[in-house]
Amino acid sequence: MNVFGDYTQIAHQTFAVDGLSALSIEMRHESVEVTVYDGADIVVTQLARGNVNAARPFMYQLNEGCLMVASPYTGFQLKTLLLQEKYTVLLPSGAVQRLKAASLSGKVSLVGSGEWQTLALTSKSGSVAAPGELRAQTVELTSLSGSVRAGAVMSGSYVLTSTSGSVHAEQVSGNGTASSISGSVRLGAVSGDRLLLKSTSGSVRVDALSGSGTLSSVSGSVHVAVTQLDGDLVLKSTSGSVRASFARSVSGWLNASSVSGSVRSDLPLKGQFKRSSFTGGLGDNPIHSITAKSIGGSVHLEAC
């Protein structure tokens, strides 16, 4: 049962996109949902439930091609504890080059696909979700306490990070970082050079990796399927296991080791094999290096 009741519209405003290059949304406790659509104008709707008498209409400003939509609240107010608010924003496809949506404690989400120069979705204690296809020169999806979820991220550089929550993306292309301190990092198809995928307490998993970089975890496991190697690859865990599978076309100079666990392989390797280490070649004409190591866990290498 929802004690707050149904949402009531507090404010509704339409903005022409002529002359606009950026949209910036800054909220406090309010959630934000931006939807990319085929319409002509930007439409902002403010909804509230609970103690709706405490709600105040949002603020906005047009400044040098940027539409700024902001929360009307400037600090903590006791009456807003019994108030839930959310903003729905309809954004015409291709209307702005830069999009930023942020909230201190509310959820931030982007519905639909689009292309921008820069895209930033951030929340301090709420979740961040963008299930569509995101194309931008730079993409930043960050949360301190909530999870980060993305569909396809196609960018020159990206940052997908959460402090306490998990990070999940179905597809990632470009050079960047995906990280969590307390949660897991799970990516589908990943392509790019100088990748940095890491977790402190959670696991790191990539379903299909094409490129190079570092995958690491302190307390969790590292699991990756390598379909193409374009540079050096480092797979490491302090107390968890490392499991890597390689396509037949992948070749490299392999250095696998474990301090407390074992090293096992189902691959046709050429080199010096011991119970807890291996040094040698994988495939024909190896060029790049592959490092797979664990201190407290095992290392398992196999074909995919």
Side-chain angles (χ1 to χ4, degrees), residues 11 39 43 47 57 62 79 92 142 150 159 179 184 207 216 248 260 282 303:
V43 182
L47 303 170
L62 291 168
K79 59 185 178 181
T142 62
V159 175
S179 65
S184 62
D207 295 336
S216 67
R248 289 186 177 183
S260 301
L282 168 65

Side-chain angles (χ1 to χ4, degrees), residues 179-285:
S179 65
S180 176
I181 294 180
S182 301
S184 62
V185 175
R186 173 69 185 270
L187 305 180
V190 179
S191 62
D193 299 325
R194 302 182 302 279
L195 302 172
L196 180 58
L197 313 178
K198 61 181 181 178
S199 176
T200 301
S201 301
S203 61
V204 175
R205 182 185 180 100
V206 176
D207 295 336
L209 173 65
S210 173
S212 63
T214 299
L215 284 68
S216 67
S217 177
V218 176
S219 301
S221 62
V222 173
H223 191 175
V224 60
V226 182
T227 58
Q228 182 175 321
L229 190 63
D230 298 325
D232 296 340
L233 180 63
V234 177
L235 313 172
K236 59 183 180 180
S237 177
T238 301
S239 56
S241 62
V242 173
R243 190 180 188 99
S245 59
F246 299 89
R248 289 186 177 183
S249 58
V250 174
S251 62
W253 294 109
L254 181 60
N255 184 355
S257 64
S258 176
V259 175
S260 301
S262 62
V263 175
R264 295 180 298 160
S265 175
D266 302 329
L267 298 170
L269 302 174
K270 303 173 184 178
Q272 186 177 9
F273 208 112
K274 298 181 180 179
R275 180 184 178 279
S276 59
S277 67
F278 171 81
T279 302
L282 168 65
D284 300 326
N285 302 318

Side-chain angles (χ1 to χ4, degrees), residues 13-23 25 33-44 67 69 88-99 110-117 119:
Q13 186 77 35
T14 299
F15 302 92
V17 299
D18 293 341
L20 289 182
S21 60
L23 172 61
I25 305 168
E33 181 180 273
V34 179
T35 300
V36 180
Y37 82 127
D38 294 331
D41 299 317
I42 296 175
V43 182
V44 180
L67 171 60
V69 178
T88 63
V89 180
L90 298 178
L91 176 64
S93 177
V96 295
Q97 298 175 347
R98 301 183 303 278
L99 172 60
L110 174 61
V111 180
S113 303
E115 185 170 356
W116 302 269
Q117 286 185 358
L119 172 63

Side-chain angles (χ1 to χ4, degrees), residues 2 4-8 47-52 82-85:
N2 187 356
F4 286 92
D6 297 329
Y7 278 103
T8 299
L47 303 170
R49 63 184 181 183
N51 185 21
V52 295
L82 300 177
L83 175 67
Q84 283 189 351
E85 290 185 84

Side-chain angles (χ1 to χ4, degrees), residues 22-191:
L23 172 61
S24 176
I25 305 168
E26 297 276 356
M27 295 298 156
R28 295 187 63 85
H29 64 272
E30 309 96 322
S31 296
V32 179
E33 181 180 273
V34 179
T35 300
V36 180
Y37 82 127
D38 294 331
D41 299 317
I42 296 175
V43 182
V44 180
T45 303
Q46 178 185 1
L47 303 170
R49 63 184 181 183
N51 185 21
V52 295
N53 292 327
R56 292 187 292 172
F58 66 89
M59 301 184 297
Y60 68 89
Q61 181 179 4
L62 291 168
N63 184 21
E64 297 182 349
C66 178
L67 171 60
M68 294 176 285
V69 178
S71 171
Y73 314 104
T74 57
F76 174 77
Q77 298 181 19
L78 184 62
K79 59 185 178 181
T80 61
L81 291 176
L82 300 177
L83 175 67
Q84 283 189 351
E85 290 185 84
K86 69 177 181 180
Y87 286 76
T88 63
V89 180
L90 298 178
L91 176 64
S93 177
V96 295
Q97 298 175 347
R98 301 183 303 278
L99 172 60
K100 176 183 178 181
S103 178
L104 289 180
S105 58
K107 298 178 181 179
V108 176
S109 60
L110 174 61
V111 180
S113 303
E115 185 170 356
W116 302 269
Q117 286 185 358
T118 61
L119 172 63
L121 308 177
T122 63
S123 178
K124 186 174 182 180
S125 56
S127 62
V128 173
E133 183 175 291
L134 314 177
R135 294 183 177 272
Q137 294 180 11
T138 60
V139 173
E140 179 183 357
L141 308 180
T142 62
S143 176
L144 288 180
S145 303
S147 62
V148 172
R149 296 286 186 270
V153 178
M154 312 292 189
S155 68
S157 64
Y158 60 85
V159 175
L160 313 176
T161 183
S162 175
T163 300
S164 302
S166 60
V167 175
H168 183 201
E170 297 177 6
Q171 182 180 357
V172 178
S173 176
N175 303 324
T177 300
S179 65
S180 176
I181 294 180
S182 301
S184 62
V185 175
R186 173 69 185 270
L187 305 180
V190 179
S191 62

